[in-house]
């Protein structure tokens, strides 16, 4: 069996040769004994193993570049840590070949990988330190403060952070659970597209941008010749080879720079993705992102499921299932998240 293994941020820097994107935090050495992580304790997850149908046991997975791996990227931060742990747990529970899933954790706090290792001793993963300073000057104020967190923008840099041998990755938000085999999502045919995601063409696309955006041809003209549809960036399959070749990170950054001076949208990290990719997305079945379960960005009210089958439940919006369960005011669908929660409550 491939041993449980992760790498300190310094190793991530050496392996990816990206000193511009990765920098060890100045607070790494501290005289203070208190850590925000002291308030977290998780139960150790049950052991998991591959089904007989998985690749022959003669094949020994050699590392992150092994072609048999399914690559999943998730952010880890103190605020959403409980959700991230539940998301990982759900993927392992429903995977036919969980030993073939490799997790890439994007972190801005170097202590988190120890916690992951103690919760999932068998897990194949690596932690990548994302320096918030990279995007701090690019982030504009948003309708909800949580949307302004630098780590929300780490997905823009996956092609740079991950090893060049990683050719494709599934990006997942921290407020979701997967209730189907992640390998099915991994096998999505992207065709000529760089990203795949469930699209929602019935949504009012104009609301994602300001009136000043739509009234200026130099901005709105970017959609000329496209049929743009809304898609949620919390579930994406990304062809990293194409991304690197075209240089999509720079294109996203350019729109963020324009936003600083012209205020062309109100939401956080979503609109730049829409500007670059809307109308150029490989459509994925809606079952892979039953989103909006966290309500809107203000009240976080209860929502029901969209009609149709479900492979992934996503609590996008301001209401998070762990907060509502702890406050004893859960929404009905929060009960579907609870079985994957490994958080150990203190008594």
């Amino acid at each position: 069996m491939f041993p449980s293994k992760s790498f300190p941020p310094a190793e991530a820097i050496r392996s990816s040769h990206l000193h511009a994107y990765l920098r060890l935090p100045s607070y790494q050495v501290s005289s203070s004994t208190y850590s925000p992580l002291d308030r977290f304790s998780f139960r150790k997850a049950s052991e998991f193993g591959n089904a007989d149908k998985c690749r022959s046991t003669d094949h020994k997975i050699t590392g992150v570049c092994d072609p048999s791996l399914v690559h999943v990227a998730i952010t880890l931060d103190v605020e959403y840590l409980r959700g991230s742990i539940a998301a990982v747990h759900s993927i392992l529970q429903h995977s036919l070949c969980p030993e073939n899933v490799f997790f890439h954790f994007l972190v801005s706090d170097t202590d988190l990988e120890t916690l992951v290792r103690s919760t999932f001793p068998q897990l194949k993963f690596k932690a990548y330190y994302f320096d918030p300073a990279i995007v701090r000057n690019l982030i504009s104020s948003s309708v909800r403060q949580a949307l302004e967190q630098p780590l929300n923008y780490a997905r823009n840099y996956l092609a740079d952070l991950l090893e060049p041998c990683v050719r494709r990755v599934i990006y997942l938000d921290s407020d979701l659970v997967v209730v189907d085999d992640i390998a099915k999502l991994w096998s999505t045919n992207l065709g000529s597209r760089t990203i795949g995601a469930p699209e929602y063409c019935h949504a009012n696309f104009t609301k994602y941008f300001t009136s000043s955006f739509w009234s200026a041809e130099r901005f709105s003209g970017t959609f000329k010749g496209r049929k743009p549809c809304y898609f949620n960036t919390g579930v994406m399959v990304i062809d990293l080879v194409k991304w690197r070749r075209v240089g999509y990170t720079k294109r996203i950054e350019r729109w963020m720079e324009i936003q600083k001076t012209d205020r062309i949208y109100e939401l956080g990290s979503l609109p730049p993705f829409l500007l670059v990719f809307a109308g150029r997305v490989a459509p994925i079945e809606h079952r892979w992102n039953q989103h909006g379960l966290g309500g809107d960005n203000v009240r976080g009210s209860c929502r029901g499921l969209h009609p149709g089958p479900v492979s992934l439940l996503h609590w996008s919006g301001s209401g998070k299932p762990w907060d509502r369960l702890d406050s004893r005011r859960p929404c009905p669908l929060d009960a579907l998240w609870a079985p994957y929660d490994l958080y150990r409550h203190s008594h």
Side-chain angles (χ1 to χ4, degrees), residues 50 130 204 206 223 242 258 335-336:
N50 281 357
F130 179 71
N204 179 9
T206 58
F223 292 122
K242 288 195 182 88
I258 291 170
L336 299 176

Side-chain angles (χ1 to χ4, degrees), residues 278-311:
R280 298 168 177 161
V281 174
I284 293 175
E285 286 183 275
H286 287 183
R287 67 189 302 152
W288 285 105
N289 196 351
Q290 283 271 353
H291 68 289
L293 304 184
D296 60 25
N297 280 312
V298 181
R299 294 189 304 275
S301 51
C302 294
R303 295 258 180 97
L305 290 174
H306 309 292
V310 180
S311 293

Side-chain angles (χ1 to χ4, degrees), residues 16-305:
S16 54
H17 310 293
L18 281 159
H19 300 280
Y21 288 109
L22 288 155
R23 191 179 73 209
L24 287 174
S26 58
Y27 54 78
Q28 188 175 10
V29 180
S30 171
S31 57
S32 170
T33 56
Y34 172 76
S35 164
L37 297 179
D38 291 345
R39 63 188 172 96
F40 287 102
S41 176
F42 293 94
R43 302 189 305 280
K44 188 165 80 169
S46 302
E47 288 193 11
F48 55 86
N50 281 357
D52 293 339
K53 293 180 182 177
C54 299
R55 195 164 177 171
S56 167
T57 52
D58 295 338
H59 174 76
K60 299 296 183 188
I61 292 176
T62 53
V64 69
C65 294
D66 193 290
S68 66
L69 291 171
V70 170
H71 295 277
V72 178
I74 301 179
T75 59
L76 285 184
D77 72 327
V78 172
E79 195 69 30
Y80 286 87
L81 183 60
R82 192 167 161 189
S84 297
I85 294 292
V88 172
H89 192 206
S90 72
I91 291 168
L92 298 175
Q93 289 274 330
H94 293 281
S95 290
L96 195 65
C97 309
E99 294 175 68
N100 293 12
V101 183
F102 194 103
F103 289 88
H104 303 263
F105 293 120
L106 311 175
V107 304
S108 291
D109 186 319
T110 56
D111 296 330
L112 291 169
E113 57 186 296
T114 304
L115 191 149
V116 172
R117 194 183 297 109
S118 63
T119 307
F120 303 105
Q122 297 171 268
L123 198 69
K124 296 179 183 64
F125 77 92
K126 182 171 174 178
Y128 302 76
Y129 179 75
F130 179 71
D131 186 354
I134 294 161
V135 291
R136 193 166 282 130
N137 292 331
L138 288 170
I139 297 174
S140 303
S141 59
S142 179
V143 293
R144 183 158 59 94
Q145 193 172 8
L147 300 176
E148 300 169 26
Q149 298 307 310
L151 207 55
N152 277 349
Y153 296 83
R155 73 193 88 184
N156 302 357
Y157 299 89
L158 281 168
D160 300 314
L161 292 169
L162 273 52
E163 288 77 2
C165 66
V166 180
R167 301 172 61 85
R168 170 182 285 220
V169 69
I170 298 170
Y171 176 82
L172 298 176
D173 272 353
S174 301
D175 52 358
L176 54 76
V177 292
V178 177
V179 292
D180 202 344
D181 191 344
I182 196 75
K184 296 177 185 176
L185 182 59
W186 175 254
S187 63
T188 297
N189 181 5
L190 297 182
S192 62
R193 304 302 192 186
T194 302
I195 69 167
E199 290 185 296
Y200 302 90
C201 294
H202 63 276
N204 179 9
F205 190 78
T206 58
K207 72 176 183 178
Y208 294 100
F209 301 96
T210 61
S211 56
S212 60
F213 170 87
W214 292 111
S215 62
E217 171 65 22
R218 64 194 173 105
F219 298 146
S220 58
T222 192
F223 292 122
K224 192 172 183 179
R226 292 199 250 169
K227 293 183 179 176
C229 294
Y230 163 76
F231 65 95
N232 180 281
T233 53
V235 179
M236 295 185 291
V237 181
I238 305 173
D239 183 327
L240 295 173
V241 177
K242 288 195 182 88
W243 185 296
R244 291 171 183 131
R245 187 167 64 236
V246 177
Y248 282 115
T249 297
K250 290 295 182 189
R251 295 192 184 187
I252 289 172
E253 285 182 333
R254 178 62 187 134
W255 281 113
M256 292 174 70
E257 288 166 358
I258 291 170
Q259 163 73 353
K260 294 290 286 186
T261 56
D262 291 274
R263 196 68 186 176
I264 55 175
Y265 54 80
E266 300 296 342
L267 288 171
S269 59
L270 168 65
F273 259 87
L274 295 179
L275 286 160
V276 173
F277 291 110
R280 298 168 177 161
V281 174
I284 293 175
E285 286 183 275
H286 287 183
R287 67 189 302 152
W288 285 105
N289 196 351
Q290 283 271 353
H291 68 289
L293 304 184
D296 60 25
N297 280 312
V298 181
R299 294 189 304 275
S301 51
C302 294
R303 295 258 180 97
L305 290 174

